[in-house]
């Protein structure tokens, strides 16, 4: 299974409750990306024997301990480790996503 998360600034500042990446929702409700990852992941992981999920982000400047750039990246591993973009299982994906929200600088609008 592979996932890619849109970290462009058009999703909104994660510190603002209306952002799609917000973790400040009332009563600790999951944000829109957490809901999507969980709902789709629960279905697809039933067919994934290894439970490995390659997880990537795009549209941001990554700022991980081992992966940092002043340039906007259009493909970076959510793990922050270029050699190993995979996590094992849904909870690891959700945890890695949350870590990534705070390890990236969202950038620019979504442009197609």
């Amino acid at each position: 299974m592979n996932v890619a998360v849109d970290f462009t600034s058009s999703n909104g500042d994660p510190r603002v409750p209306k952002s799609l990446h917000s973790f400040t929702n009332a009563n600790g409700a999951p944000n829109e990306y957490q809901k999507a990852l969980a709902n789709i992941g629960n279905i697809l992981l039933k067919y994934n024997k290894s439970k490995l999920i390659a997880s990537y982000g795009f549209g941001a400047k990554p700022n991980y301990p081992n992966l940092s750039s002043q340039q906007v990246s259009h493909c970076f591993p959510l793990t922050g480790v270029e050699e190993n973009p995979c996590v094992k299982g849904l909870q690891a994906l959700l945890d890695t996503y949350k870590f990534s929200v705070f390890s990236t600088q969202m950038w620019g609008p979504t442009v197609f």
Side-chain angles (χ1 to χ4, degrees), residues 9-10 18-19 49 60 62 71-72 77 79-80 84-85 93 99 106-107:
S9 61
S10 57
K18 290 188 178 192
S19 167
K49 194 180 234 182
Q71 299 293 323
V72 174
T79 60
N84 188 14
L93 174 62
F99 176 73
M106 296 182 189
W107 204 259

Side-chain angles (χ1 to χ4, degrees), residues 5-16:
V5 177
D6 180 354
F7 284 105
T8 57
S9 61
S10 57
N11 286 292
D13 185 333
R15 297 170 292 185
V16 176

